[in-house]
Amino acid sequence: MEIATLLNLGCFVLCFLFSQNGTASGNSQLPVATKVWWTSINFKTILEWEPKPSGYAYTVEFFGKKTDVQKSPRCIKIQTTECDLTSFLLNLTDSYTAHVISEPIETVDKTEEYPYTRSDKFTPYKDTKIGQPTFKIEENEAKNKIKLLIEAPLSSIRGPNNTFLSIQEIFKKDLEYVSYYRKASSTGKKEAKSKTNEIDVPVDRGESYCFNVHIVIPSRTDENQQSQESATHCSHSEKPFYEEYGIGVLVGLILAPVLLLVAIITCVCCCRRKKNANKEANSPDGVPLKGV
Ligand SMILES: *[C@@H]1O[C@H](CO)[C@@H](O)[C@H](O)[C@H]1NC(C)=O
Ligand SMILES: *[C@@H]1O[C@H](CO)[C@@H](O)[C@H](O)[C@H]1NC(C)=O
């Protein structure tokens, strides 16, 4: 009886597998990527998609308006869900489309068209995210001007001498640097801009200022114009600490540990008192203590 059931089951599984095989050769049955997207920063560009394949593989094919259909040798019949196309998208102003093709793992018939999912268009020059710039602060001798010396991040694109080009070398005149800055003692922000990698900011002598910097590409659409923001750097002030931040901050710094101690002591006392109160409350009805 049980053996018969097993045999039936085995037969059923076999039939199921055969029927799957049968339909697989008509490849409309292969699952396709449900979602395909580009992630790109400083011209390092990766095509990603979902889901992880099971029983089939993906091949990526891409082309631009001025770029013929190509494949990356690293992205043929892969079982992963990403493909680094950085070294192929070399016409930065071309507009690329990729196809994520679902293929059977073993090649059956090369003439067959396999199903695929198409990506959105991607133009490196317009679409890659720009990373954080870095910068240094230089004060002039009169202490009434600060110069920001900015360095754009490196891109993943190699120049003629095989070194990586910086973002500035790629965008050239299409790029500007913007700094938002404020006096350390206030919250009012100001803006200063430059087409070169140096920004001069007039300052009040003796005050400390805080700066951050980003790159802007005005020719791009609004949501894509600004780079990631740099870290914030502040200039040193010559005023004594308490004058800059006010007596309040200083007093606060001294008082804080004292207040903390008072709070802890109060808390401990309260807890003790509560415990005692609980004991007193429990003992008169005394059920859990005396009842046993
Ligand atoms: C790069 O692509 C742009 C836009 O499609 C095209 O105008 C330009 O001629 C291409 N450059 C080269 C060198 O193919
Ligand atoms: C390589 O090229 C870059 C940009 O074109 C340039 O800034 C750099 O000085 C060059 N380096 C060498 C070693 O020639």
Side-chain angles (χ1 to χ4, degrees), residues 185-197:
S185 55
S186 104
T187 53
K189 279 200 173 179
K190 289 188 175 171
E191 187 187 296
K193 282 186 191 182
S194 171
K195 280 265 180 193
T196 72
N197 69 331

Side-chain angles (χ1 to χ4, degrees), residues 39 90 92 98 109 123 143-144 162 173-175 251 255:
T39 50
L90 291 178
L92 301 182
D109 180 0
T123 305
K143 308 272 185 195
N144 61 1
N162 217 30
K173 297 240 154 60
D174 239 1
L175 161 157
V251 171
L255 273 186

Side-chain angles (χ1 to χ4, degrees), residues 5 18 53 75-76 160 212 272:
T5 319
F18 272 121
C75 307
I76 294 175
N212 59 48
R272 286 230 173 114

Side-chain angles (χ1 to χ4, degrees), residues 92-117:
L92 301 182
T93 57
D94 205 356
S95 172
Y96 295 93
T97 304
H99 291 168
V100 177
I101 308 167
S102 298
E103 293 183 9
I105 291 167
E106 72 289 350
T107 310
V108 192
D109 180 0
K110 278 197 177 161
T111 61
E112 206 158 349
E113 290 267 340
Y114 296 116
Y116 63 84
T117 303

Side-chain angles (χ1 to χ4, degrees), residues 161 163 165 169:
N161 61 15
T163 55
L165 296 173
E169 286 169 313

